Amino acid sequence: MTQRDRDRLVALKKARKGLITQLQAAEEIGQSERHVRRLLRRLKGKGDGALVHALRGRQSNRKLDEKTKQKALGILSRPVYRGFGPTLAAEYLASKHGLDIGRETVRGWMIEGKLWQAHRQRIDKIYQWRPRRSRVGELVQWDTSEHAWLEDRGPKLYLISMIDDASSRIHARFVLHDSTAENMRLVWSYVELYGRPVSYYTDKAALFQTAPKTPRKATELARDERDPLPPTQITRALAELDIVWIGAHSPQAKGRVERSFQTAQDRLVKGLRVAGAKTLEQANAYLETEFIVWWNNTIAVVPASSDDAHRPLGKEHSLAASLSYVETREVSNNYTIQVDRQTWQIARDGIRAGLRGADVRVEMRLDGTLAVRFRDAYLAVSQCQPRPKMLSPNVTAGRARKPAAPRAKSRWMENFHLTSPDKTALSIRVESPQVRGGKSIR
C-alpha cells in the first residue's frame, strides 16, 4: 500500500465513523461522493485491502512473452549492435528484424540483460538560448567533423555538414581530406539543390579566415589599425555569389551543427557498421539514402515562416568560375603567363589592346581545367611545350668527349720545414740594387 492509499484510508475511516461527511471525504481524496460510497462498501467487505487496485502486482495483458524478449536480447548482443542505446536499438529491431517493441520496454530489457547502464543526465554548462531564424536559407551553419566514421574497416573520413538554422535540415557528404576544393564542391551541390542562402555561419578556421601576423615589436601597428587581411578562396567565392560569411567566436555559438555531429557520431557510425560500409563511396551512399533521409524526416522541424530565403543564381553568377582557385598573373611581352611552373600561351585571336603587361584572372577550376579572364572576357590559352636544353660544346653527335684525367698534386711544398733543425737551411740569394752580383746569406 502506498502513502496515497494510506491517506485515502484515513479519510474513509473518518467518514465511516461520522467524523466527517462523505462529501468532505470526497473533497479530501479528490474523488466523487458516489465513488466514496463505493469505497466504503468495499472497505466494509474486504477490509483495508479494498483500496489497493485489483490489478496491482499482476502482469499486464499487453506484456510481451519471454520468447520475444530473449530473441530481442540475442539480436542486440551481436557485435554489430555494440554500443546501441535503447532508442536506436528499438528502431533497428523494428526496421531490420520485424520486432515492433516500445523504446522503454527495450530499455528495461537491455538494463536487465546488462546491455545498457541507466544513468541520470547531467547538465554541466548552460548557455544562453538563441532563437532560430524564421526562414529557410536565412542562416546555414557549416562545419567539418573528424571522426573514425568507418571505425577500423576503411580509410579515415571527414564529414562536411551544412544545417539550416530555421529547419535543422542537413546537407552533408564524406570526403578524404578537409580541403578547400572539397568544401567548394559541397557548396556547389547545396546551391544547385536549394539555391543561394543569405549567409553561412562557420568557425574561424584557415579555410575561412586568413591568420593575422603577430607583431614582433610593441611599436608596430595594432591589429585593428592594420590593413584588412586578404580573403581566403572560400570567402572570396562566397562574396562573388553574394553570400554573407559570418565567423563564430566559439563552438557553442554554432551549437546546432555541433550537436548534429554528436548525434551523427553515435547513430551514423553504428548505421555504417550495420550496413557494412568500408569505402568512401559506400559511406556516402548510406549517408544520402539512409541517414539524411531519416534526419530530415525525423529531426528537422517546420520553420516559423513558410517563405524561402534561398535565391536563384543570376546571369552574373557562375559556380564554375567562383568555386575555383583564383590567382592573378601578369602577361609577359610575348603574351604568355606562368602558372605552377608551366607556361601558357594566349591565342592570337584573344590578343587585344592593353593586354601586354596587364593582370589577368586565372581560374584553376574543380574539374581540372584552366580559365583565363581579362576584364569581362575569357581568353583561349594553350600550354607551351618546355624548351629543350642547350647542348654543351663538348657534346657532339650524341657522344660526349672523354673527360680529362685529373692533374697530379703539386710537390713544391715537400721538405719545406723552416722550423725543423734537422733539415738543411734554405739558401736564399738576395740581390740588392746597390750591390752587383748578389750576396748569399744563410
Side-chain angles (χ1 to χ4, degrees):
M1 185 177 293
T2 63
Q3 185 62 42
R4 181 187 177 190
D5 294 334
R6 296 189 183 95
D7 296 339
R8 295 172 64 186
L9 180 61
V10 171
L12 290 175
K13 286 184 176 182
K14 289 180 181 179
R16 187 176 60 180
K17 294 179 180 180
L19 300 177
I20 59 176
T21 64
Q22 295 182 359
L23 179 60
Q24 291 173 339
E27 294 176 353
E28 186 174 342
I29 66 176
Q31 299 292 336
S32 64
E33 187 178 357
R34 181 180 178 183
H35 187 60
V36 168
R37 290 193 292 270
R38 186 184 297 114
L39 291 176
L40 289 174
R41 288 194 298 269
R42 292 181 184 176
L43 188 63
K44 183 178 181 180
K46 297 182 180 180
D48 295 350
L51 295 180
V52 179
H53 198 281
L55 296 179
R56 183 176 299 177
R58 295 176 54 185
Q59 293 184 356
S60 172
N61 295 331
R62 301 176 60 184
K63 181 180 179 179
L64 298 176
D65 56 0
E66 188 67 20
K67 183 179 179 180
T68 303
K69 174 183 176 181
Q70 296 302 327
K71 181 179 180 181
L73 290 177
I75 294 174
L76 297 179
S77 299
R78 298 175 184 175
V80 70
Y81 294 112
R82 181 184 70 256
F84 274 50
T87 302
L88 186 59
E91 294 179 8
Y92 271 80
L93 286 175
S95 61
K96 301 292 184 181
H97 304 281
L99 298 177
D100 192 5
I101 306 173
R103 177 185 61 186
E104 296 304 320
T105 302
V106 174
R107 185 188 305 276
W109 289 356
M110 293 180 68
I111 293 174
E112 184 179 348
K114 306 298 183 181
L115 299 178
W116 180 255
Q117 184 178 2
H119 57 276
R120 296 182 62 182
Q121 185 177 4
R122 296 181 179 179
I123 301 177
D124 297 332
K125 296 181 180 180
I126 300 177
Y127 297 95
Q128 186 177 3
W129 178 77
R130 178 183 61 82
R132 293 176 179 266
R133 297 298 176 96
S134 59
R135 299 182 298 165
V136 173
E138 192 173 349
L139 179 69
V140 178
Q141 298 186 19
W142 173 7
D143 201 2
T144 302
S145 175
E146 178 183 356
H147 189 69
W149 297 105
L150 297 180
E151 297 173 313
D152 56 351
R153 302 186 308 276
K156 180 181 180 180
L157 300 181
Y158 297 83
L159 179 63
I160 309 177
S161 179
M162 296 179 178
I163 182 169
D164 184 77
D165 189 74
S167 63
S168 292
R169 181 180 61 192
I170 66 170
H171 181 74
R173 65 176 295 177
F174 284 114
V175 296
L176 294 175
H177 305 285
D178 185 22
S179 61
T180 297
E182 296 295 350
N183 281 269
M184 284 185 174
R185 288 189 177 94
L186 187 64
V187 174
W188 191 319
S189 62
Y190 183 94
V191 173
E192 282 189 334
L193 185 61
Y194 300 112
R196 294 180 298 123
V198 176
S199 59
Y200 275 119
Y201 196 39
T202 73
D203 54 19
K204 296 182 180 180
L207 292 176
F208 307 103
Q209 186 180 50
T210 306
K213 295 181 179 179
T214 305
R216 297 181 179 178
K217 299 179 181 180
T219 56
E220 295 186 13
L221 295 177
R223 181 175 179 179
D224 55 351
E225 296 177 356
R226 298 175 184 170
D227 295 335
L229 297 172
T232 64
Q233 292 293 333
I234 293 181
T235 52
R236 173 204 50 78
L238 296 180
E240 292 180 1
L241 295 174
D242 195 19
I243 301 175
V244 179
W245 173 77
I246 305 175
H249 297 295
S250 65
Q252 292 78 15
K254 50 185 181 63
R256 206 171 306 285
V257 68
E258 295 288 350
R259 289 190 297 271
S260 71
F261 285 145
Q262 293 179 0
T263 304
Q265 290 172 5
D266 179 41
R267 283 178 167 264
L268 183 54
V269 170
K270 296 169 183 175
L272 292 171
R273 184 199 308 161
V274 175
K278 299 180 180 179
T279 63
L280 174 65
E281 293 74 17
Q282 294 174 351
N284 275 320
Y286 178 84
L287 177 67
E288 296 174 3
T289 60
E290 297 287 341
F291 185 77
I292 293 181
V293 174
W294 169 83
W295 181 284
N296 292 337
N297 291 335
T298 307
I299 305 298
V301 299
V302 178
S305 175
S306 60
D307 183 32
D308 193 344
H310 289 101
R311 301 157 296 168
L313 290 170
K315 296 181 179 180
E316 70 278 9
H317 300 129
S318 173
L319 291 178
S322 297
L323 299 176
S324 59
Y325 191 86
V326 177
E327 291 183 352
T328 301
R329 291 291 184 270
E330 182 179 350
V331 181
S332 62
N333 292 334
N334 57 359
Y335 296 101
T336 60
I337 57 175
Q338 298 289 330
V339 181
D340 289 341
R341 299 182 181 179
Q342 296 178 353
T343 304
W344 295 80
Q345 178 70 58
I346 300 176
R348 182 179 295 273
D349 54 359
I351 297 176
R352 61 195 65 192
L355 179 60
R356 183 167 56 185
D359 291 336
V360 293
R361 171 186 167 113
V362 179
E363 302 170 358
M364 288 165 277
R365 299 187 172 178
L366 298 179
D367 57 359
T369 60
L370 185 76
V372 178
R373 190 177 74 184
F374 177 62
R375 296 174 183 170
D376 296 331
Y378 283 93
L379 308 177
V381 295
S382 60
Q383 186 176 355
C384 299
Q385 297 297 328
R387 296 180 180 179
K389 296 182 179 180
M390 299 298 296
L391 298 178
S392 173
N394 296 331
V395 180
T396 56
R399 180 188 298 177
R401 186 177 67 179
K402 184 178 180 180
R407 296 180 180 181
K409 185 178 180 181
S410 175
R411 303 176 63 184
W412 73 277
M413 289 290 292
E414 290 185 2
N415 300 324
F416 191 75
H417 301 283
L418 296 178
T419 60
S420 177
D422 299 333
K423 300 298 181 179
T424 304
L426 181 64
S427 178
I428 304 176
R429 182 179 179 84
V430 180
E431 291 187 359
S432 174
Q434 291 82 9
V435 182
R436 292 186 178 183
K439 181 180 179 181
S440 295
I441 61 175
R442 292 183 69 86

